Amino acid sequence: MSDNINVAELFGQNVFNDKVMQERLPKKVYKELHKTIDEGKELDPMIAEVVAAAMKEWAVEKGATHYTHWFQPLTGFTAEKHDSFITAPNQDGSILMEFSGKELIKGEPDASSFPSGGLRATFEARGYTAWDCTSPAFVREDEGGAILCIPTAFCSYTGEALDQKTPLLRSMQAVQTQALRLIRLFGNTTSKRVTPSVGVEQEYFIVDRKNYLKRKDLIFTGRTLFGAMPPKGQELDDHYFGVIRPRIAKFMKEVNVELWKLGVSSKTQHNEVAPAQHELAPIYAQCNVAADHNQIIMETLKHVAEKQGLQCLLHEKPFAGVNGSGKHNNWSLTTDDGINLLEPGKTPHENIQFLLILTCILKAVDIHADLLRESAADVGNDHRLGANEAPPAIISVFLGEQLEDVLTQLISTGTATHSLKGGRLHTGVKTLPDFNKDATDRNRTSPFAFTGNKFEFRMVGSRDSVAECNVVINTIVAEAFAEACEVLEKADDFDLAVHDLIKEYASEHEKIVFNGNGYSEEWVEEAKRRGLPNITSMVEAIPALVTDKAIELFSKFNVFTKPELESRAEIQYEGYSKAINIEARAMIDIASKHIIPAVLRYIRNLADTVNAVVQAGLEAQVSIVLLKEATELLAVTKKELTHLEEVTEIAASKPSGQEQAMYYYQEVDKAMARLRIPVDQLEMIVDKGEWPMPSYGDLLFEV
């Protein structure tokens, strides 16, 4: 890889983007394709034929021999099946390279082999992938060569969504329809589309791959199931924004190059708070494109790390005792002519359209807090939420001093007459410039925070697709907009009706607003008094998917059917049970085959030392104390290991679904935590040479 990088030439070079389409497609075909992309019109099969031919020629020039429908099933990963461009050989033995419009538009993976929650059985295998032409195709280069990747949705033979993309596109349609309906009432007749825009900040850990391969827990589960804290963790705050180490800088450079080639606008990179933790953030993109790009980011991080002898850990809590990893989903609504509907302006109290949109969002989050919490439910997030800069499990909205003051005026008097100003920041140093401050501070403990002209949902886990949370945000906001429009469209006096509606929504949903410390015990009690749900685990969050309220919401806007929601709940329960079962079995395996034998060797050596010392000197006394302590901890370890084996066996015998998942949560997860305690204490006693795996210090600081 060259040291000199021309980003302008590099960016998007492997993407079949608008520039490439303009160059390679006939003008009429280009215009017709854009009608599908921009206006949602049905794609003409003849247009698809021309696009497919141009796309194939472009990809072959890039070295591609195969294409794949790249999709996002409910596994948490992307999926792909590669087909070559080669057709049947000619009589003279030569071959043709072809790619038809039908092959571009439709693929047929086996639907029963992916999680379906009962929507597909083994004897009902057919499923389809359908081209998402609003997210550009790209050529991915790796050790397997160059592959043309076509972003697609994935549905069953009977039309149910089996992926993350399909409901996301449905929700985008819903919020666009209702947002356009709303701004038309305010006199906007020029905007043709309103698109949810998303910027996703991605956190991750990087460790040395040699150490990773010596940790079975990391290999099997993505997190350390055992591990004592090193003498130094993140206490000094010296890693955050610190100088990036050379090996990590080299890694980040290659990641950026690969992402830029794929049209992912990787912009920000830095060290995060925990040792070995880092962050990458791209520029905003259309919601479904942002979701696709985030999947590309995660895959690229893992691929480049492995090439360089590193390992990227995307688990939400790979190390106990230090910060976990999430991804911050920055969401806003933008028109096709560049208007951000969440831009408050310099005088928010006078921006009536903004105030209505703001209070609609407060209403949406308040009514559907359980759904928003479920959209970030993940096994790993159960370990992360509630501390170390991750938001608590209680959903609340941070507005900041300026907007909270406007809201208070609306509630108390019915009219907002002023907006707080940010003032000037004075450093006290003559050579440093004074400058205008923002009108509002930030709150890193808030799960849903207004940050200037967008809402930042900080709860999403680092491994998760952002599609799920954006499906919820788009749909609940669409509902709030629709209900506001129903009132305003019937009003005799529009201005008075808007005024009354803003005050009503502000008053009724003020309880969801909280600007304070989300980690405090006082907030837990206050949230309970306000009636806000505190859903602390994934298992307890899943039922929100299938409440009557959720079914009515998603059905009304054609985002999910009742069977689709029920299937996703089943998949979530099954996924939780399988994840905890794997963790429990990994703990049993590691403790039985590695840790206990290592401790026994250590105890045997100590006993030999005691026996070899004829006179009771200091060495013998120390050895006796250590021998007693290690023996007692080993006995506790064996006891807790036996208990974990028992409850894991019971859990496996439970009927699959909510009952089994709840048992894993209430019994197996707690048994795992109890086993870890004596093992981590033993790690502090046993010789490092005897301990069977790299320590936290090795993992976090040897990169």
Side-chain angles (χ1 to χ4, degrees), residues 76-363:
F77 304 96
T78 58
E80 53 194 64
K81 178 186 74 170
H82 300 173
D83 288 294
S84 77
F85 292 119
I86 295 174
T87 60
N90 296 323
Q91 288 184 347
D92 63 0
S94 63
I95 56 97
L96 292 174
M97 302 279 278
E98 292 185 352
F99 183 51
S100 69
K102 181 180 178 181
E103 289 169 322
L104 170 62
I105 291 172
K106 186 184 80 171
E108 191 180 336
D110 188 339
S112 66
S113 297
F114 291 101
S116 72
L119 292 177
R120 296 270 85 189
T122 304
F123 69 93
E124 298 172 315
R126 198 179 295 277
Y128 297 112
T129 48
W131 178 34
D132 173 17
C133 62
T134 63
S135 184
F138 57 93
V139 169
R140 187 186 66 220
E141 299 169 324
D142 57 27
E143 288 75 8
I147 306 293
L148 172 62
C149 298
I150 303 159
T152 56
F154 177 42
C155 296
S156 73
Y157 180 72
T158 46
E160 293 96 352
L162 297 176
D163 67 340
Q164 302 284 15
K165 172 68 72 72
T166 304
L168 180 60
L169 292 172
R170 293 171 180 171
S171 72
M172 290 171 65
Q173 287 182 181
V175 76
Q176 171 171 268
T177 299
Q178 301 308 323
L180 279 174
R181 184 181 170 191
L182 186 68
I183 64 176
R184 291 286 185 263
L185 292 171
F186 283 88
N188 183 328
T189 59
T190 55
S191 299
K192 296 178 181 178
R193 298 191 312 278
V194 178
T195 305
S197 295
V198 171
V200 184
E201 303 166 47
Q202 176 70 55
E203 296 174 339
Y204 60 94
F205 280 83
I206 291 290
V207 299
D208 189 278
R209 187 164 170 80
K210 293 193 297 294
N211 284 331
Y212 165 83
L213 292 173
K214 295 175 184 176
R215 295 278 315 210
K216 281 191 171 183
D217 48 2
L218 282 176
I219 293 171
F220 291 140
T221 73
R223 76 179 181 103
T224 52
L225 301 172
F226 301 106
M229 278 297 294
K232 178 181 184 292
Q234 64 186 52
E235 298 90 344
L236 298 178
D237 302 317
D238 55 336
H239 188 256
Y240 190 50
F241 278 24
V243 175
I244 298 171
R245 288 169 288 179
R247 195 175 178 191
I248 298 299
K250 180 185 175 185
F251 161 77
M252 288 179 170
K253 180 180 179 180
E254 185 171 353
V255 166
N256 284 332
V257 167
E258 294 304 316
L259 292 177
W260 290 335
K261 287 195 293 187
L262 295 174
V264 180
S265 54
S266 176
K267 182 173 177 64
T268 301
Q269 60 188 33
H270 61 85
N271 291 345
E272 255 299 337
V273 174
Q277 189 185 32
H278 311 279
E279 181 176 300
L280 180 156
I283 298 172
Y284 283 73
Q286 180 175 298
C287 192
N288 62 312
V289 175
D292 286 352
H293 281 182
N294 186 247
Q295 292 291 340
I296 292 172
I297 287 170
M298 290 190 288
E299 291 172 3
T300 303
L301 288 171
K302 290 187 286 187
H303 179 70
V304 173
E306 191 168 337
K307 277 178 61 180
Q308 296 193 10
L310 301 166
Q311 187 69 35
C312 176
L313 305 179
L314 290 174
H315 192 284
E316 287 73 22
K317 196 75 169 180
F319 303 101
V322 298
N323 276 21
S325 295
K327 58 183 62 162
H328 304 154
N329 186 86
N330 295 280
W331 179 91
S332 60
L333 289 171
T334 308
T335 67
D336 57 314
D337 47 357
I339 302 169
N340 184 342
L341 300 184
L342 293 183
E343 176 59 61
K346 294 182 179 180
T347 53
H349 67 283
E350 296 176 337
N351 190 339
I352 304 303
Q353 178 179 288
F354 167 76
L355 290 176
L356 179 60
I357 289 172
L358 177 69
T359 53
C360 279
I361 292 172
L362 294 182
K363 173 184 176 181

